Structure formats: structure tokens, C-alpha cells
Amino acid sequence: MFIGLLMLTASWGTTLNGWVICYSLSLLFYGIGVGGEYPMTATAAMENATGSGKVSTKEDRLHRGRKVTMAFLMQGWGQFFNQAVIIVLLLIFHHSGNPPYSLVSAQWTFRVSFAIPAVGTLWLVYYRTYKMPLASKQLNAAKKRAKVTGYDVQSLKLTFKYFTPRLIATAGSWFCNDVFFYGNKLFQSTFISAIDPAATKTGNIMTNWLWNFVNIAVALAGYYLASFLIDNKFIGRKRMMQLGFLMDFILFVVPAFHYNYYKSIKGIHAFQTMYFLSSFFNQFGPNAVTFLVAAEVYPTPIRATAHGFSAACGKLGALLASVVYNYISTQQKFYFVPWFGLAGMLVTYLFLPDTTGLDLKEQERRWQYIREGRESDYHGIAVHPKHLSVWERMRGVGKHYNPELDRTGKIHDLRAEWEYRQAEKSKDEAGLTDVDDLQFPDDVHNHFMRTSAHAAGKLSSSDNGSNEKVAPPN
């Protein structure tokens, strides 16, 4: 909302310097507010799905990616409606799309286009503050279990020790993607001038907007296809991102070495097709997947920090594109961009684990073992080779995977979690603490009640968790 007020103020300015100052300030507050809040959508979704307990659901494992990317594709609809609104506003205030444009019509188009989102932002502020549960609820629960107050420094140290390759994957791929994503936005006016030079000569801004509208519609199709296929076990997160990066590399490197042909009459339609397809594959692959995996490959205590670091690296990619594009020609832009697609694909292949279908509760279990200094005692699915990166497999991270030993450990961990919840519940009844809303299945709860020390009066010497017959819930 504050950004809209700044831009509305800038519309009254009489000098370009004043406008640039207001625009720069708006970008600052955008980065702090929207730039910090919207990536947290993925983090909040992950934490609300996994919680701090051990009980998971089939729905979460099979459709988690779709739920998160369906939220993310609102970015595409935002671009779509933004372009549609300014086109309609220009037609209303100017009565046509053709130049010359009067100062009055330009002012009204500019002001109203920023005033309309301000109304929605006011509603969003209210809803986010009073209607949505705190995104940090599960983080606070995890910190409470680990007896951590303030910032979890130990978790940060362990992150660099155990998850540095994943940081390289999420931060590096986001950096490469944003060179493409924002570079594409900055580059589109140059591209449109190449495919429609007549509109550029006459200063017809409506032509640029209409071509951009087509580009946004193609990109929106990419968002939806990503949402549809993100949870497919054969395609999954990692292959989608690799395919998107590879196609962006091809679709930019081909016209780079044959630029004069593709900007000619003979090649212009192929040029258009490649440019629009690059937008499609960027949304289908890296732009959607980076948003998801940067939250998914980390456990709760470090998820927000790692996700925020990755998003910040992405903005460095956007900054690189915006600076470099001012100093190179159109053809040189095509030479410059493709290699970030190739680099993104290689970084993804080497360092990114595939979390498609992974129970994120297992991520939490593994982290608990790491914090306790007994990583080798974890034998669960989170270290199965299919859920590890190529680099992690080469380093032997998956050597401790053992389903039989994991079953024993999982029952033991589940009992420990149940006992902790029972103790918290007793404190809550006494008014000493608040207990969260995790519910164990009735069969699990009843079994632990029957075999607990409280119910039996004493523990059997043979009841050490290794011979329990209850199966952990799936």
C-alpha cells in the first residue's frame, strides 16, 4: 500500500529526478514488504503441512506441490490483470490507443493503475493480520522442543555443515532464474521493437502492451502446467526445473547465433515463437519450482532463513540483468542470457534433491537426529537415494538408509512424541502452557495408553519400543 502511495505521489512530480527518487524508494519498500512476504507463502504452507509432530497425511505427500504452486501462480494472474487494467484505463482516458498521448490521460492512467491495487492491499493487510494463523506457529513449536530462545544459531551452523549443497542449489538456481525472468521483462520492449519496428517509430505504446499481454497469457499457461505436473513422480520438481532451464538455454542461444536471420521477414515468426516459448518454459520450470523447493528441502527451524537467503540471491540475479542490459546490444543480450539457463540446469542436477512425494515429517525427524549429534542413527526415507542430490549420493549421505531399522526408530520416536504431547496436555489442563492441535490416530493413541507406564503401572522390561507391533501412520 505504501508503494502505491509513493508512486501516486511521483505522478504529481514535475521533474524526472523526483520521479526516480520516489520509484527507488518504492522498490526499497517493495523488497522489504512484498519481496519478503510473498516468498514466505511457501514457507508457511510447508510449516502448516508438516507441523512439529510425527503424523503425516497421504494428501500432503501427493498434492503438496500443487497447493503451493497454485498460490504462486497468482503472480501470473497479477501480471495478467495489471496489463489488462492499464490497457482499459488508457482506452477510457485517452479514448484510443494511438499516439500522441496527452498529459492528462497519461496522469490518470498512471494514478488509477496504482490506486486500484491499494484497495486490495488494504483488505490483504486486514486478512493477513487477523484471519490467517501465524506462519511462525510451527517454528515456535520446534524451537520450544529444542529449548531455543531467540534466533537459533545452532541450527544455522548445522545448516552450513549439512545443507550447504542444498543452499547452492536453491540460491544458485533462483539467481539464474531471475536473470531470465527479470531479464525477459526488461528485454521485452527491445524484442517487440525487433518484431514490430513500425510501432516503435510511431511511439504506439498500445502495441507494446498488447504484445506483452500475449506474452503474459503464454506464461500463465506455463504456471498452470507446472501446477498440474509438479507432483507427478516421473516428472517431479527436479526434472521440471532442469527441463525449464534447458529449454530457456536453447530458445535464447539459437537466435543469438542467427540473430540477423530471425529478425528478418523470413525468420520473424520463428523468433516470436521462441521468445514466447521461453516465457512458457520459464514459468513451467524454474520460476515455479524454485519457489517451492527452496522451502521444501529444509526442515522447519531453518526453512524461513534458507528460503529468504535463496530469494535474496534471486534478486541479485535481477539486479545483474538490469545493470548489464544497459551496456550491451540486443544481440549481445541473447549471447549473455542463455548461459544462465545452462548453469541453472547443472546446479539443479548436481545439488538439488528431488522431494517429490517425500513426507516432510521425515525431514523433521532427520533434523532432530542431526541436532542430537547422531545423524548415523537415522535410517528413514529422507536419506533414500531418490530423495538425495547427486552430490549427496556421491558423499555417501544415503549409506545409512535401512527400512527395517527405520521402522524400529520410527515407533520409538512416535512414542516419545506422544509422551511429550501427553505431558504438554497435562500442563495445559493446569493452565501452565498452551498445547497445539496435533491429533494422533485413535489406534496409535490407544496402543500407547495401554502400554504406557501410567496405564500399566509399570514398564515391562521387554517393552523398549523395539518389539511394539503398532505400525506408524502413513
Side-chain angles (χ1 to χ4, degrees), residues 187 255-260 328-336:
F187 185 53
F257 290 95
H258 300 280
Y259 180 72
N260 290 330
I328 58 178
S329 65
T330 301
Q331 186 172 6
Q332 288 172 335
K333 292 174 184 176
F334 277 97
Y335 282 127
F336 174 77

Side-chain angles (χ1 to χ4, degrees), residues 3-197:
I3 298 167
L5 294 175
L6 273 172
M7 297 307 290
L8 287 170
T9 302
S11 68
W12 292 96
T14 57
T15 64
L16 182 60
N17 287 339
W19 192 92
V20 170
I21 290 172
C22 285
Y23 182 69
S24 300
L25 287 173
S26 70
L27 290 179
L28 171 65
F29 286 102
Y30 178 86
I32 295 173
V34 179
E37 173 69 12
Y38 100 85
M40 292 298 292
T41 305
T43 301
M46 295 298 104
E47 292 179 0
N48 287 336
T50 60
S52 57
K54 308 297 183 209
V55 181
S56 186
T57 65
K58 184 177 180 180
E59 174 73 13
D60 172 58
R61 294 196 302 275
L62 296 183
H63 303 297
R64 180 178 62 245
R66 183 177 300 176
K67 290 178 180 178
V68 176
T69 51
M70 284 295 286
F72 181 66
L73 67 79
M74 291 300 106
Q75 182 188 72
W77 279 112
Q79 296 167 356
F80 182 89
F81 283 114
N82 175 69
Q83 193 65 70
V85 165
I86 60 174
I87 289 173
V88 171
L89 289 175
L90 184 63
L91 293 176
I92 291 173
F93 296 118
H94 186 62
H95 307 297
S96 78
N98 300 318
Y101 306 105
S102 69
L103 179 63
V104 173
S105 61
Q107 285 274 354
W108 275 104
T109 300
F110 186 80
R111 291 174 189 161
V112 176
S113 68
F114 279 96
I116 291 175
V119 177
T121 304
L122 283 172
W123 174 84
L124 180 61
V125 169
Y126 165 78
Y127 190 85
R128 181 69 176 84
T129 304
Y130 297 104
K131 297 296 183 181
M132 288 184 66
L134 292 176
S136 59
K137 177 182 178 182
Q138 303 302 341
L139 175 60
N140 292 335
K143 289 171 67 175
K144 180 181 178 182
R145 288 293 306 273
K147 297 180 173 60
V148 172
T149 58
Y151 191 81
D152 193 347
V153 177
Q154 182 189 5
S155 290
L156 184 62
K157 292 178 180 178
L158 292 172
T159 300
F160 286 106
K161 181 177 180 180
Y162 291 96
F163 291 147
T164 293
R166 298 189 178 196
L167 279 173
I168 295 173
T170 57
S173 61
W174 209 321
F175 176 87
C176 293
N177 171 66
D178 275 16
V179 173
F180 261 105
F181 181 75
Y182 289 98
N184 190 308
K185 295 297 180 185
L186 295 168
F187 185 53
Q188 63 189 11
S189 60
T190 306
F191 169 76
I192 291 169
S193 67
I195 64 174
D196 197 345

Side-chain angles (χ1 to χ4, degrees), residues 408-427:
T408 299
K410 189 177 291 186
I411 294 174
H412 182 272
D413 294 343
L414 192 62
R415 174 180 285 278
E417 179 68 22
W418 178 84
E419 291 175 348
Y420 171 79
R421 299 287 168 175
Q422 292 298 109
E424 289 294 293
K425 186 176 179 181
S426 298
K427 292 179 182 178

Side-chain angles (χ1 to χ4, degrees), residues 381-457:
I381 193 68
V383 293
H384 189 288
K386 71 178 180 180
H387 292 307
L388 297 175
S389 67
V390 171
W391 181 265
E392 288 172 329
R393 293 199 296 269
M394 290 170 56
R395 301 288 293 176
V397 175
K399 63 185 178 181
H400 298 296
Y401 174 70
N402 187 313
E404 293 302 320
L405 292 178
D406 180 56
R407 177 182 175 82
T408 299
K410 189 177 291 186
I411 294 174
H412 182 272
D413 294 343
L414 192 62
R415 174 180 285 278
E417 179 68 22
W418 178 84
E419 291 175 348
Y420 171 79
R421 299 287 168 175
Q422 292 298 109
E424 289 294 293
K425 186 176 179 181
S426 298
K427 292 179 182 178
D428 182 59
E429 291 173 352
L432 299 176
T433 186
D434 292 325
V435 64
D436 61 39
D437 56 357
L438 177 70
Q439 298 293 326
F440 285 86
D442 289 341
D443 57 342
V444 175
H445 175 76
N446 293 335
H447 173 79
F448 287 152
M449 283 293 292
R450 288 195 306 270
T451 57
S452 68
H454 175 74

